[in-house]
Amino acid sequence: MHRRSFLRLGGVAAAGTLGALTPTRAAHTPDDTFVLLRRRWREVITGDAPDQALTRAAGRYRDTMAPGRSSLWPDEPFPSYVATPRRLRTMARAHALTGDASLAEAVAEGAEHYLRRVYTAGAFPVGNWWHWEIGVPKALLDAAVLTGLENPALPAAVDHFVPANRLASYSGTSTGANRVDLCVVTLLRAMLADDHGRAELAVSALSPVFPLVSEGDGFYRDGSFIQHTYVPYQGAYGVTLLSGLATLYAVLRGSPWELTDQGVFDLVERSFAPFVRDGACMDLVRGRGVGRRPFGDHERGAEIAAAVLLLGESAPADRRARWQAMVKGWAVRSAYRPMLEHAEPPFRARLAAILDDDAIPAAPEPVGHRLLPMSARAVHRRPGWCAALSMASHRIGHYEHGNGENPRGWHTGSGMLYWWAEGHGDQYSDSFWPTVDPYRLPGTTVSTRRLPDGAGAAWGDTRTPWRWVGGATDGTYAVAGQHLSGLESTMEAFKSWFFLDDAIVCLGAGITSRDGTAVETIVDNRRTGAALTTGAGWAHIEGHGGYVVPGGQKLRTLRERREGGGVARDYVTLWLDHGVDPQAAGYAYVLLPGASQAATRAASVSVAVNTARLQAVQVPSLGLTAACFWNAGTAAGLTASAPCAVLAREHPDGTATLTVADPRCDLDELAVTWDRPMAEVLRGDAVLTGGTLRFGRLAGQEGASITVRLRFQP
């Protein structure tokens, strides 16, 4: 009898040493509940639309599979924790769509071989724990559920590496996205044996994922998501978490274990959508995975979109409609890597359905500002352009490296300012990370001291000692600030950004270093071959935007072609040189995304003060005054009793708004005086006494902004 037929008909699998056979489990009457779950799993994971690319890949894997002593495929020597299980899963998914029995036979033979030699009960889990507890079992169990594989070596191995008590404590590597993955593995394991107890465990163990946290891994009330304790991670671990939850909500719907927690629905617009632009997920929440491959940001954006549409099937109708419009907008604008063209099944079917439905509008890019102080991140959106800011603090690392990934991301938390003008959505997508100068990331202030690959502790613990990192926003405009310490450097600086309608004003002060090397502020580093024009106090990159550098500062420029990762890209770099071991140096410049050369030359900036104690700007055309108070003091008509951020706006109707925040999260009370005729507080949590606004309980606000609306005296 042919070997594959033997495995298919006899249901016999091998376990332990080579040649030992273990009979299949005793026949039993299928549990209708699990019959439903397995059918739901297939519908959610594979859909029902044919997929030629998947079928071709599965056929190629089937035809080239050649079990040997040290591999299942000649090009993937064992242990092959990633490729081999994924190939088995690909064949299983193609079988589920086509019914091709030869693919199921190949999965059975391949799984038996892999379970004998690599993933076997009793083996010692060498290397990364994730492969043994999540990556390998998730792929193999998926394949088993889709093909009906009954090989007792698989549940035995899963029980060995992922015992039930693995979910007993919400700590260590069993938090956030990892916890969701472990619950998915446990549910799949339950499906193999119609095990009600394991299914109950898989669902109950999700409960610690939903509540908001104020430290460590999880979701914060400002929308931040942290994994590995110190790393903002919506664009990697967060995607995994959202995808896993969306899958579980869909599969378990109508079962005894149906998920009912509504908190997950808030996450879509609060935590994920702010970091997706035109279908791409911004790199400042992608951790160490930013440089894995070109257009990885678009791949992650598509994964978020897929999870949002799937989760929408379990959400209330109004949310579902809003999410469909949002995803449709992302897809319509994803010109650099068309979302539908690269979508995987069954996301492709869901996406095609909303794209073809004229009743679903394509939501435009939103406008406004989102400041997430608990993860030291900010996103500013205006018509035609978008910017995002990445900082480090006493709770958020400069960068994360680990498993050999992202070894030169040293300065991504030193105030890196990403920005996208119309027509440049691929600015950081197309091989930016392997080719950019890692010492000259846009927006950063850095010591040029050379650093080794992987400088600082692994897994994100590259924090600074400073607490003043954050800012204030009224939802439209914002001021953000960072008390910065360089990574493995003596450099210190005070950096502020003022986010306006058509510009970002960037200030730096108190720049001091004793490294024996130069310190630079990188005004920008654009991946472009476009023409650069410069003049006295300004510069312009054709098709991108302009820069204004007041006060006689010397703007240095460089055009170069840089190589890395087997490719080469053109760059235009603009920077300010603060010299070797500067003492109390500073800078000021204005970024004008999308501006013409004429508009750049005509632009001006009014910097009220720029010191290590205070940084403030005034914009009369907007009626706006904003300041970072590094210490108590007075600036531009505003006086603050303690370190804080303040944003004040006068409105034509005789009212005003004043927004404050306590980035250090340690103020019991804050008093702010404004040299305007304030008469009364119309709305908001503050008391006006003798021309002074008094705010209480700021320490418990986790750096969040508090806005009050005021009426001026006539």
Side-chain angles (χ1 to χ4, degrees):
M1 186 179 294
H2 190 276
R3 180 176 179 81
R4 288 181 180 167
S5 297
F6 173 72
L7 288 165
R8 175 171 55 89
L9 299 176
V12 178
T17 58
L18 185 63
L21 295 177
T22 303
T24 187
R25 68 186 186 191
H28 70 284
T29 302
D31 186 317
D32 288 344
T33 299
F34 284 95
V35 171
L36 171 65
L37 290 189
R38 287 188 286 269
R39 183 170 72 246
R40 281 276 180 81
W41 181 265
R42 177 199 173 282
E43 292 170 352
V44 169
I45 297 301
T46 67
D48 55 11
D51 186 271
Q52 294 182 354
L54 178 71
T55 302
R56 286 195 300 269
R60 184 169 64 253
Y61 294 149
R62 176 197 58 206
D63 297 340
T64 58
M65 194 174 77
R69 293 181 60 86
S70 59
S71 69
L72 185 53
W73 281 275
D75 64 327
E76 284 296 335
F78 288 153
S80 186
Y81 298 125
V82 177
T84 293
R86 285 183 179 175
R87 290 179 180 184
L88 293 171
R89 182 178 61 191
T90 296
M91 291 192 294
R93 292 183 175 181
H95 161 74
L97 282 171
T98 65
D100 187 338
S102 69
L103 292 172
E105 294 170 6
V107 170
E109 180 178 1
E112 178 218 8
H113 189 76
Y114 193 75
L115 288 163
R116 281 176 178 267
R117 289 171 166 76
V118 179
Y119 196 71
T120 182
F124 184 77
V126 297
N128 193 330
W129 71 272
W130 185 90
H131 295 306
W132 299 91
E133 298 185 25
I134 294 176
V136 173
K138 192 175 175 183
L140 294 181
L141 289 167
D142 185 1
V145 168
L146 292 175
T147 60
L149 173 66
E150 295 186 352
N151 186 331
L154 176 55
V158 174
D159 292 349
H160 174 69
F161 296 113
V162 196
N165 63 11
R166 183 69 171 90
L167 297 174
S169 173
Y170 192 70
S171 60
T173 55
S174 185
T175 62
N178 290 333
R179 171 56 70 103
V180 173
D181 265 342
L182 289 168
C183 289
V184 170
V185 168
T186 302
L187 181 64
L188 286 168
R189 171 66 181 87
M191 290 186 198
L192 286 188
D194 296 358
D195 188 330
H196 286 252
R198 285 184 185 273
E200 175 64 32
L201 173 63
V203 173
S204 63
L206 284 172
S207 59
V209 173
F210 299 108
L212 299 180
V213 302
S214 57
E215 61 181 2
D217 290 356
F219 290 93
Y220 292 69
R221 69 176 183 178
D222 68 355
S224 298
F225 173 72
I226 303 296
Q227 191 90 36
H228 291 174
T229 310
Y230 316 110
V231 187
Y233 245 135
Q234 285 94 324
Y237 283 96
V239 179
T240 300
L241 183 149
L242 189 66
S243 299
L245 288 178
T247 299
L248 291 173
Y249 270 79
V251 171
L252 295 169
R253 193 165 60 247
S255 78
W257 309 287
E258 182 171 3
L259 294 169
T260 59
D261 192 296
Q262 298 289 301
V264 65
F265 301 132
D266 295 332
L267 304 178
V268 170
E269 290 160 284
R270 190 179 73 235
S271 296
F272 291 93
F275 295 98
V276 178
R277 180 185 183 274
D278 291 352
C281 179
M282 299 176 186
D283 285 342
L284 70 166
V285 290
R286 297 210 301 123
R288 71 183 189 278
V290 292
R292 286 177 180 169
R293 53 187 171 271
F295 292 94
D297 54 347
H298 290 260
E299 292 176 7
R300 288 302 195 184
E303 290 173 14
I304 292 174
V308 169
L309 289 187
L310 179 57
L311 187 62
E313 296 178 359
S314 302
D318 58 337
R319 288 185 189 256
R320 180 166 59 253
R322 197 162 63 242
W323 295 351
Q324 288 176 338
M326 180 176 68
V327 171
K328 186 171 184 176
W330 291 347
V332 167
R333 296 188 300 274
S334 61
Y336 298 97
R337 194 176 190 274
M339 191 177 285
L340 183 62
E341 181 181 324
H342 293 87
E344 295 189 4
F347 172 43
R348 184 183 301 117
R350 293 189 181 95
L351 182 59
I354 67 169
L355 289 174
D356 292 340
D357 189 342
D358 293 337
I360 299 175
E365 274 287 302
V367 295
H369 190 94
R370 280 296 306 274
L371 180 61
L372 289 75
M374 301 308 283
S375 56
R377 298 293 187 267
V379 178
H380 189 66
R381 284 182 161 93
R382 304 307 299 162
W385 65 279
C386 176
L389 177 63
S390 171
M391 301 175 286
S393 71
H394 74 291
R395 61 189 308 145
I396 299 298
H398 271 280
Y399 81 119
E400 182 193 50
H401 68 91
N403 289 339
E405 294 183 296
N406 199 34
R408 298 183 179 180
W410 313 298
H411 300 304
T412 47
S414 296
M416 184 172 179
L417 184 61
Y418 304 72
W419 65 276
W420 301 263
E422 202 70 44
H424 296 287
D426 65 339
Q427 175 63 213
Y428 308 100
S429 308
D430 185 9
S431 300
F432 174 85
W433 293 103
T435 56
V436 73
D437 184 342
Y439 293 95
R440 287 179 167 169
L441 300 179
T444 61
T445 297
V446 300
S447 165
T448 58
R449 177 175 180 265
R450 301 294 99 171
L451 296 173
D453 286 1
W459 310 113
D461 192 5
T462 50
R463 295 168 292 164
T464 78
W466 308 118
R467 300 178 63 90
W468 206 125
V469 177
T473 179
D474 61 4
T476 301
Y477 306 117
V479 52
Q482 177 183 23
H483 186 179
L484 170 66
S485 284
L487 178 70
E488 296 198 348
S489 165
T490 63
M491 191 210 72
E492 183 178 357
F494 295 86
K495 295 169 67 70
S496 294
W497 298 264
F498 301 84
F499 294 92
L500 309 174
D501 272 335
D502 55 3
I504 304 172
V505 180
C506 307
L507 303 183
I511 302 171
T512 303
S513 179
R514 300 180 306 280
D515 288 351
T517 58
V519 173
E520 298 177 347
T521 293
I522 313 306
V523 173
D524 211 342
N525 202 345
R526 299 298 279 175
R527 185 189 58 75
T528 182
L532 169 68
T533 307
T534 61
W538 63 272
H540 183 264
I541 301 177
E542 184 178 357
H544 289 255
Y547 312 84
V548 175
V549 185
Q553 301 170 100
K554 183 176 181 181
L555 180 63
R556 299 175 182 268
T557 64
L558 174 68
R559 299 195 65 102
E560 62 178 338
R561 188 166 180 80
R562 296 184 56 83
E563 298 182 354
V567 299
R569 295 291 182 268
D570 294 322
Y571 283 87
V572 173
T573 310
L574 304 94
W575 77 98
L576 302 168
D577 188 347
H578 304 300
V580 175
D581 290 347
Q583 297 298 308
Y587 65 82
Y589 65 90
V590 184
L591 169 64
L592 300 163
S596 66
Q597 184 179 138
T600 300
R601 297 180 67 175
S604 62
V605 58
S606 174
V607 177
V609 60
N610 183 21
T611 71
R613 294 187 61 86
L614 294 169
Q615 291 174 311
V617 302
Q618 291 181 296
V619 186
S621 62
L622 298 176
L624 182 146
T625 302
C628 284
F629 289 89
W630 305 106
N631 302 91
T634 300
L638 292 168
T639 299
S641 64
C644 65
V646 181
L647 177 72
R649 290 175 61 194
E650 300 179 60
H651 304 291
D653 63 357
T655 66
T657 52
L658 190 139
T659 303
V660 301
D662 170 23
R664 301 194 313 176
C665 304
D666 65 356
L667 293 180
D668 291 326
E669 184 180 77
L670 174 67
V672 176
T673 302
W674 189 12
D675 66 352
R676 297 294 188 272
M678 297 183 290
E680 65 174 323
V681 175
L682 299 176
R683 185 177 65 250
D685 190 10
V687 176
L688 179 61
T689 305
T692 298
L693 283 166
R694 299 189 181 277
F695 300 84
R697 302 187 303 276
L698 271 71
Q701 297 298 316
E702 297 183 337
S705 297
I706 300 172
T707 298
V708 297
R709 191 168 191 90
L710 306 165
R711 180 178 64 82
F712 285 156
Q713 296 174 2

